Amino acid sequence: MNIVLLGPPGAGKGTVAALLKGALEVPHISTGDIFRENIKNGTELGKRVQGIMASGGLVPDEITIEMVKDRLSKDDTASGYILDGFPRTIGQAEALSGIDDIDAVLNFVLDEEEIVRRLSGRRLCKSTGRIYHIVSNPPKVEGIDDETGEPLIQRDDDKPEAIRHRLEVYKKDTEPLIVYYREKGNLVDIDASPSPEDVLKSILSALKK
Ligand code: AMP
């Protein structure tokens, strides 16, 4: 089953995808994670996208589409995948429709106040990618990853100025995809306000239908 997770930054797509991947036994492909991995490893791609990402802008379509094409050609996607953070523009959606049929587009719905609360309190462990929230999902020891003992970090793009920019970009470039996929008939709205476990339940029941 090929699934796209759509929705604003901070709606919990990454957290829920980590659970959904276990339930469906398909890979979780996050374009943001792939870019971050490239930045961490100092690759050419990482160097090209670092500044764009830190400011909360979008990486150009041609770079992103090429990267996703390459990832979707790998053997582990044969029985499906969860795409998280792609497509983010109409151009990307059109490119995706030329690569594969998408079975369901899950549109994470969350109000703006809650989005800002979630993003500004988000912290993560750089090496494992594990996500915390300083209020709703804090680590056992403040600022320290429960498993590795490493200090938690705040993503550059979770700082206030970048959050504002990401929300503007989302509204301008990504929100039109809701209409695009609704017209195609495979969009399902998902209330993203409950806990990740409850969001997962509502997704699994929507996918059964
Ligand atoms: P995310 O982890 O999904 O919030 O993505 C973090 C950042 O990576 C975004 O703010 C963009 O700078 C970049 N990015 C991730 N996915 C895409 C995409 N599909 N198109 C363009 N830029 C992207």
Side-chain angles (χ1 to χ4, degrees), residues 72-180:
L72 295 184
S73 69
K74 301 274 184 310
D75 291 346
D76 67 338
T77 63
S79 55
Y81 48 78
I82 302 161
L83 266 181
D84 161 16
F86 183 95
R88 257 177 159 99
T89 64
I90 295 284
Q92 293 178 10
E94 281 173 349
L96 179 61
S97 73
I99 302 174
D100 254 337
D101 287 332
I102 298 302
D103 300 296
V105 178
L106 307 174
N107 178 37
F108 282 48
V109 180
L110 194 67
D111 69 45
E112 191 160 324
E113 202 180 313
E114 178 64 8
I115 291 170
V116 173
R117 192 195 73 81
R118 286 190 184 182
L119 288 175
S120 53
R122 179 159 70 179
R123 299 291 182 274
L124 67 133
C125 173
K126 207 171 178 179
S127 63
T128 65
R130 183 161 173 186
I131 300 168
Y132 297 85
H133 187 278
I134 51 173
V135 178
S136 51
N137 178 28
K140 293 192 184 102
V141 179
E142 193 183 323
I144 300 292
D145 182 64
D146 291 347
E147 275 168 38
T148 64
E150 289 169 43
L152 300 180
I153 59 153
Q154 182 175 37
R155 282 169 44 171
D156 283 340
D157 59 353
D158 281 344
K159 295 179 179 157
E161 192 50 38
I163 290 178
R164 259 193 300 281
H165 189 207
R166 286 164 77 197
L167 286 173
E168 282 164 16
V169 169
Y170 170 75
K171 282 188 191 143
K172 180 172 149 290
D173 294 318
T174 309
E175 220 168 40
L177 292 178
I178 297 176
V179 174
Y180 175 91

Side-chain angles (χ1 to χ4, degrees), residues 190-209:
I190 300 290
D191 175 7
S193 62
S195 69
E197 292 73 18
D198 285 341
V199 174
L200 175 69
K201 277 187 204 149
S202 66
I203 289 175
L204 292 176
S205 86
L207 292 178
K208 272 193 202 131
K209 286 182 194 155

Side-chain angles (χ1 to χ4, degrees), residues 9-10 13 30-33 35-36 49 52-61 64-65 67-68 84-89 92 119 122 155 157-158 166 169:
K13 300 187 296 297
S30 153
T31 41
D33 283 351
F35 287 133
R36 278 184 288 276
V49 304
I52 302 172
M53 281 184 73
S55 73
L58 287 187
V59 176
D61 276 0
T64 311
I65 291 167
M67 185 179 84
V68 170
D84 161 16
F86 183 95
R88 257 177 159 99
T89 64
Q92 293 178 10
L119 288 175
R122 179 159 70 179
R155 282 169 44 171
D157 59 353
D158 281 344
R166 286 164 77 197
V169 169

